[in-house]
Amino acid sequence: MKQPVEGFSKLTKEQKIAWLANTHFNNQEAALSIIRQYWNNDEVLQKLHDEFIENTISNYYLPLGIAPNFLINEQLYTIPMAIEESSVVAAACKAAKFWLQRGGFKTEVLSTEKVGQVHFIYKGNKTKLEQFFNNIKPQLYTDAKEITANMEKRGGGILEISLVDKTKNLDNYYQLHCTFETLDAMGANFINSCLEQFAKTFKNEAQHFADFTEEEKQLQIVMSILSNYVPNCIVKAEVSCPVTALNEDKNIAPEVFAEKFVQAVNIANVEPYRAVTHNKGIMNGIDAVVLATGNDFRAVEAGIHAYAAKDGTYRSLTHASVENGIFKFWIEIPLAVGTIGGLTNLHPLVKIALEILEKPSAKELMQIIAVAGLAQNFGAVRSLITTGIQKGHMKMHLLNILNQLGATEEEKQYFVTYFKDKTATHNAVVQAFNKLRAKA
Ligand code: MEV
């Protein structure tokens, strides 16, 4: 039976890897060789990556791809995408090209407000709590001055602090609901530092508020943390064209394409089983750009899915309509991302990704990410209502299967041609591969 390991974080990287090999691998040499194969020869670069997290043993590669030809508000962008799923970048490129010829994407940031909360328990008179809050509110701002000074110089800072009574939801539960403008920073550190300072001031001052009883003075701060739900940090992206211009696919009339497309989006709007997959396809595009630009895709995912369920039913993040012969397709999502701070200053490939995007502001990045999501959804729905997704999907997956089979470059080229007009299911590829090898 395996034993727990003591003091693991204090071991050196080599010691950690040796422990890992001893504990979890029969073929230790083979495991060690793969782990080391992914180390970077540049020691400084490797150390940088080692120090991103605890207990680093190696690097985990994802491909970084690019999707050119995105026309957004009359400007051309090449979008960097970090993703492992084979058809995502290809679909983005195809959608970009399609809309390039039809006026491109139009985008707009509707709001940029971030949120954080101090959650606390107060067992006492509500009116007295409100009086206390109103008394000390200016001090909440002044005590946080050291944290907010720089952000204020740049035009951001704390927007509002309000006291919220949540006792209907949970006994004695109140909160300070705080909103922030964090400009080009995602703002997590800034917001959390502000909140922890608010909590400190709030707790300290409560002890000196003459109207509080002894019990009321003992209000309990439970936690102070930003919220990844940002329904007032919203970006919109849109494409539109005359229905007659939806004429790329010769096998389907433009009117039928438009009608089926709108139906597909409407289905995702009312049917959560479909909505989850529909939105997953959108996140294929969104996460890939969020990751390439060094942003926190878990935060973005959590916030966007909560937004998709904001009225109590999980719905599509995109919408489509046909009115007066015009097809319109758009997305509206919350996005808290940054182009300064965090990994953006640290990871060399993130810097490259931001340069590819011409060093965007956070607002510009929000718009680019929304476009990537919309484009991805356009590609997926377009395939679904015409050929089905397997055709394109398996074509892209073909190389993965061939790599698994250990195909040579020559064999790969042969099979790409061979499967051009056939469906490349896993089974079909394996059979064709074995046949070719048997012949050889
Ligand atoms: C696959 O990663 C994404 C899709 O399933 C999205 C969709 O169904 O809309 C193709």
Side-chain angles (χ1 to χ4, degrees):
M1 205 175 85
K2 290 190 175 73
Q3 296 298 318
V5 53
E6 292 283 334
F8 187 71
S9 66
K10 296 195 182 66
L11 301 181
T12 64
K13 183 173 168 183
E14 280 295 348
Q15 288 168 328
K16 285 174 188 168
I17 293 170
W19 173 88
L20 182 74
N22 268 328
T23 316
H24 292 284
F25 292 94
N26 293 330
N27 188 344
Q28 297 188 13
E29 269 321 303
L32 287 176
S33 137
I34 290 174
I35 288 168
R36 290 192 181 124
Q37 197 180 5
Y38 282 86
W39 287 356
N40 201 291
N41 288 333
D42 179 337
E43 280 180 23
V44 178
L45 189 70
Q46 186 53 58
K47 192 152 190 306
L48 178 77
H49 283 74
D50 286 354
E51 290 176 359
F52 283 157
I53 59 166
E54 279 261 305
N55 300 342
T56 308
I57 56 162
S58 192
N59 305 306
Y60 187 99
Y61 290 178
L62 280 183
L64 176 66
I66 51 166
N69 298 323
F70 270 98
L71 185 65
I72 307 176
N73 301 336
E74 311 301 331
Q75 214 177 311
L76 269 177
Y77 288 85
T78 298
I79 301 188
M81 305 176 90
I83 186 145
E84 87 300 346
E85 190 173 324
S86 44
S87 51
V88 170
V89 178
C93 294
K94 208 170 154 195
K97 230 167 155 190
F98 183 94
W99 287 106
L100 177 68
Q101 290 147 5
R102 291 163 181 81
F105 295 80
K106 303 279 179 287
T107 60
E108 195 186 349
V109 171
L110 303 180
S111 50
T112 57
E113 180 187 284
K114 313 277 171 60
V115 179
Q117 296 168 323
V118 177
H119 306 271
F120 66 96
I121 300 294
Y122 167 78
K123 298 176 184 167
N125 180 289
K126 182 180 163 187
T127 313
K128 279 200 267 174
L129 180 67
E130 283 166 346
Q131 274 164 5
F132 167 66
F133 172 70
N134 289 331
N135 274 5
I136 62 126
K137 190 171 167 183
Q139 200 184 332
L140 293 174
Y141 287 87
T142 42
D143 285 2
K145 268 275 169 268
E146 224 172 88
I147 305 163
T148 57
N150 265 340
M151 188 65 88
E152 277 171 11
K153 250 188 239 155
R154 289 187 275 132
I158 305 162
L159 297 176
E160 181 56 46
I161 308 173
S162 35
L163 174 70
V164 183
D165 177 356
K166 302 289 282 185
T167 54
K168 284 203 177 72
N169 304 88
L170 184 68
D171 286 348
N172 309 314
Y173 169 36
Y174 293 84
Q175 58 180 225
L176 298 181
H177 184 91
C178 315
T179 53
F180 303 86
E181 171 55 61
T182 61
L183 306 168
D184 284 337
M186 190 262 193
N189 283 333
F190 171 75
I191 293 173
N192 287 333
S193 301
C194 286
L195 293 171
E196 288 186 7
Q197 181 57 54
F198 298 161
K200 215 160 142 188
T201 303
F202 202 72
K203 175 83 187 151
N204 284 346
E205 291 307 312
Q207 269 145 57
H208 303 118
F209 189 59
D211 291 353
F212 275 164
T213 63
E214 278 315 305
E215 196 188 13
E216 286 166 341
K217 283 180 184 170
Q218 297 316 313
L219 59 85
Q220 184 192 47
I221 305 287
V222 179
M223 57 190 162
S224 311
I225 186 74
L226 96 165
S227 171
N228 291 123
Y229 187 45
V230 282
N232 292 316
C233 188
I234 298 288
V235 58
K236 189 177 168 187
E238 180 187 309
V239 284
S240 67
C241 69
V243 169
T244 48
L246 297 169
N247 55 356
E248 210 175 66
D249 196 330
K250 300 289 164 254
N251 296 318
I252 184 166
E255 298 71 28
V256 181
F257 179 91
E259 192 187 338
K260 275 184 89 175
F261 197 102
V262 172
Q263 285 297 11
V265 176
N266 288 345
I267 288 169
N269 204 40
V270 299
E271 165 54 57
Y273 278 96
R274 174 58 201 148
V276 171
T277 316
H278 179 92
N279 290 348
K280 186 275 180 187
I282 295 170
M283 299 315 290
N284 278 345
I286 291 178
D287 281 345
V289 188
V290 170
L291 200 53
T293 55
N295 278 284
D296 180 344
F297 63 91
R298 287 85 56 208
V300 166
E301 283 270 350
I304 289 183
H305 291 300
Y307 190 73
K310 64 181 181 307
D311 71 2
T313 300
Y314 188 89
R315 297 185 187 284
S316 166
L317 293 160
T318 54
H319 313 273
S321 69
V322 172
E323 270 171 41
N324 304 322
I326 301 293
F327 170 79
K328 210 169 105 178
F329 178 47
W330 70 100
I331 187 169
E332 207 186 277
I333 42 167
L335 265 181
V337 290
T339 53
I340 58 167
L343 264 201
T344 57
N345 300 341
L346 276 178
H347 199 303
L349 275 178
V350 168
K351 287 189 204 164
I352 292 287
L354 289 170
E355 266 190 68
I356 295 173
L357 292 172
E358 319 259 329
K359 302 204 172 128
S361 65
K363 273 183 165 181
E364 283 161 346
L365 184 58
M366 284 168 79
Q367 296 170 75
I368 294 161
I369 293 171
V371 164
L374 187 68
Q376 205 63 42
N377 191 223
F378 180 77
V381 174
R382 179 187 182 181
S383 298
L384 287 167
I385 62 167
T386 54
T387 55
I389 60 151
Q390 280 313 85
K391 192 167 169 234
H393 217 73
M394 292 315 288
K395 200 160 104 200
M396 293 306 298
H397 197 51
L398 176 62
L399 285 180
N400 285 349
I401 303 172
L402 290 169
N403 281 335
Q404 265 169 31
L405 294 170
T408 63
E409 284 311 309
E410 229 182 334
E411 285 168 334
K412 282 187 216 170
Q413 266 177 24
Y414 167 80
F415 282 114
V416 168
T417 315
Y418 177 84
F419 278 104
K420 260 214 160 88
D421 53 357
K422 298 177 190 65
T423 310
T425 63
H426 191 273
N427 213 7
V429 178
V430 175
Q431 273 184 20
F433 180 80
N434 287 341
K435 211 160 142 192
L436 185 80
R437 281 276 169 108
K439 247 198 230 161

